[in-house]
């Protein structure tokens, strides 16, 4: 009996250890039942599936543009354990996403809308921020906690994380019939990705006002489309609140990060 109690304490300690994480830059407490390694492994698997199903652009100028901006933002993110890759997908949908581990996909449909490099940097900064802040792992944890109930202990201990985790991951990242159709992030994650995305883009040398013109454009574009909201927008609810929050943070980020980048 005593031995069982001891094991229960060890299990609880492990759960608490795994479940506590802090978001980069904002220091927000995160509930995390998956390790970063698990999340990254699933991201790599999914990236291969996306590349199997989607057609990569052969437009060398477009590819070079995305890779140049992406590499600069990745350098600013300072996450050398991620194996960054930047892919342009030939598809007329307004979409972009970054899988855990640093595989970034930008669709030609969103590139046509983002006429300036500052705007494209805002798109990529935002998506890279979601990965860097481990928003995928956080969403997986919430879904696993809701689904698994009593099995949480064994998942946290890594005993049976394999299939359960990859199933939840597939649901969240829309891997399967329709790749790139992600489940929406929470409002808190969205505003956090806006803020950290602007910081990363500014550190990489892109004007933070790119985020403002991007979301104004997205807002106008989605209104013109009515119910037929494109992928990027369906996972990113645009509201006047969001644009106001970007405006409020822009000046501080410009002074602290963009002007510093300019001085280097
Ligand atoms: Zn987002």
């Amino acid at each position: 009996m005593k031995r069982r109690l001891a094991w229960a304490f060890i299990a609880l300690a492990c759960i608490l250890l795994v479940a506590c994480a802090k978001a980069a830059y904002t220091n927000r407490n995160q509930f995390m039942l998956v390790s970063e390694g698990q999340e990254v492994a699933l991201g790599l698997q999914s990236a291969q599936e996306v590349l199997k199903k989607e057609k990569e652009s052969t437009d060398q100028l477009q590819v070079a543009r995305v890779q140049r901006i992406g590499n600069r933002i990745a350098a600013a993110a300072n996450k050398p354990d991620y194996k960054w890759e930047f892919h342009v997908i030939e598809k007329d949908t307004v979409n972009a996403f970054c899988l855990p581990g640093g595989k970034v996909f930008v669709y030609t449909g969103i590139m046509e809308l983002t006429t300036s490099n500052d705007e494209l940097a805002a798109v990529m900064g935002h998506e890279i921020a979601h990965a860097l802040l481990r928003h995928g792992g956080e969403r997986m944890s919430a879904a696993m906690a809701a689904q698994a109930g009593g099995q949480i202990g064994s998942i946290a201990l890594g005993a049976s994380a394999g299939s359960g985790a990859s199933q939840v991951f597939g649901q969240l990242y829309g891997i399967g019939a329709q790749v790139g159709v992600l489940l929406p992030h929470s409002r808190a994650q969205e505003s956090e990705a806006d803020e950290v995305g602007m910081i990363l883009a500014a550190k990489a040398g892109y004007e933070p006002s790119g985020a403002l013109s991007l979301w104004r454009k997205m807002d106008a574009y989605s209104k013109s489309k009515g119910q037929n909201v494109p992928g990027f927008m369906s996972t990113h609810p645009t509201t006047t609140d969001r644009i106001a929050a970007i405006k409020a943070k822009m000046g501080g980020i410009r002074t602290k990060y963009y002007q510093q980048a300019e001085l280097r």
Side-chain angles (χ1 to χ4, degrees), residues 4-261:
R4 274 177 72 178
L5 204 63
W7 276 113
F9 272 117
I10 290 168
L12 188 67
C14 288
I15 291 166
L16 292 174
L17 213 63
V18 175
C20 286
K22 276 202 186 292
Y25 289 96
T26 64
N27 271 332
R28 182 175 58 85
N29 283 317
Q30 294 179 300
F31 171 68
M32 213 61 92
L33 289 178
V34 282
S35 71
E36 192 166 12
Q38 273 178 325
E39 205 186 325
V40 167
L42 290 165
L44 296 186
Q45 260 177 35
S46 307
Q48 284 167 359
E49 281 195 46
V50 175
L51 288 172
K52 252 187 255 166
K53 284 177 183 159
E54 302 283 55
K55 182 176 173 286
E56 282 198 82
S57 168
T58 51
D59 182 335
Q60 289 310 309
L61 278 178
Q62 272 184 331
V63 173
R65 183 181 174 218
V66 162
Q67 288 184 341
R68 190 178 57 245
I69 295 173
N71 281 317
R72 281 170 62 169
I73 295 175
N78 193 22
K79 188 81 176 164
D81 47 329
Y82 275 19
K83 294 185 176 64
W84 296 99
E85 275 177 27
F86 306 93
H87 299 276
V88 179
I89 303 297
E90 183 71 59
K91 204 182 224 177
D92 189 27
T93 58
V94 178
N95 201 12
F97 57 93
C98 175
L99 291 167
K103 309 295 184 206
V104 181
F105 298 88
V106 181
Y107 286 64
T108 48
I110 205 167
M111 293 190 70
E112 279 169 32
L113 273 181
T114 49
T115 41
S116 78
N117 286 341
D118 294 334
E119 286 170 2
L120 186 53
V123 169
M124 295 178 72
H126 178 97
E127 293 305 327
I128 286 171
H130 275 310
L132 197 67
L133 296 161
R134 299 191 57 205
H135 287 168
E138 209 177 2
R139 288 193 304 169
M140 281 175 73
S141 304
M144 284 159 83
Q147 278 181 13
Q151 292 171 12
I152 289 171
S154 61
I155 289 165
L157 288 166
S160 66
S163 63
S166 75
Q167 205 180 6
V168 171
F169 187 90
Q171 286 162 6
L172 291 175
Y173 283 93
I175 307 302
Q178 255 188 311
V179 290
V181 182
L182 278 68
L183 286 187
H185 287 97
S186 70
R187 193 176 280 254
Q189 289 183 332
E190 280 306 319
S191 54
E192 195 173 59
D194 279 347
E195 183 184 353
V196 175
M198 275 205 289
I199 291 173
L200 296 175
K203 279 173 88 177
Y206 296 98
E207 229 306 318
S209 62
L212 193 59
S213 58
L214 168 74
W215 291 108
R216 279 180 175 153
K217 253 183 198 181
M218 287 292 159
D219 197 30
Y221 182 78
S222 72
K223 278 176 185 151
S224 76
K225 290 277 164 186
Q227 290 301 304
N228 196 12
V229 179
F232 188 72
M233 288 301 305
S234 65
T235 58
H236 299 94
T238 302
T239 58
T240 40
D241 288 357
R242 157 176 239 157
I243 289 174
I246 288 172
K247 257 190 192 166
K249 296 222 164 78
M250 211 166 63
I253 290 174
R254 182 183 290 121
T255 311
K256 194 169 174 193
Y257 299 99
Y258 178 63
Q259 283 163 359
Q260 291 300 314

